[in-house]
Amino acid sequence: MSDPIMLADGFEEAFIGIGQQFTTHFAVYDHGKCVEILRYRDGMTEEEAEEFMEFNVTGAWVGKGTPVFLRPMSLDDAQDWIDSAKD
């Protein structure tokens, strides 16, 4: 591993592991748990927390090793999400 794995400050309780894509490794976090952390730690509404995640966390590219925020779901739900993104 030559590139550093970047961690997301303040989301330690949402950390679920290390992911790999070819030779790049990255920290993986549970998106829903991150939203919960923002709601309870920072007093945000669910809508505010989702918006904060979208614009300030998942939308931030800090280079190779940028953390990934996973939304656990079934394969059927993933297919529905993929299909709806095409529209």
Side-chain angles (χ1 to χ4, degrees):
M1 272 189 293
S2 58
D3 293 315
I5 294 174
M6 298 179 199
L7 301 175
D9 292 338
F11 293 114
E12 292 79 11
E13 291 180 28
F15 179 82
I16 58 174
I18 300 295
Q20 179 179 353
Q21 184 180 53
F22 191 54
T23 60
T24 301
H25 294 82
F26 41 84
V28 180
Y29 295 85
D30 183 305
H31 183 278
K33 287 182 183 177
C34 290
V35 169
E36 286 178 23
I37 289 168
L38 292 170
R39 290 185 66 211
Y40 295 106
R41 182 192 68 201
D42 299 345
M44 295 182 185
T45 66
E46 186 162 353
E47 183 178 316
E48 290 168 335
E50 287 284 357
E51 185 174 317
F52 183 90
M53 283 294 296
E54 181 179 344
F55 290 103
N56 298 293
V57 181
T58 61
W61 172 257
V62 290
K64 253 183 154 180
T66 295
V68 169
F69 297 87
L70 176 71
R71 294 176 186 260
M73 64 181 73
S74 70
L75 186 56
D76 287 339
D77 288 343
Q79 188 61 57
D80 290 343
W81 187 84
I82 292 166
D83 291 343
S84 70
K86 292 177 187 175
D87 298 336

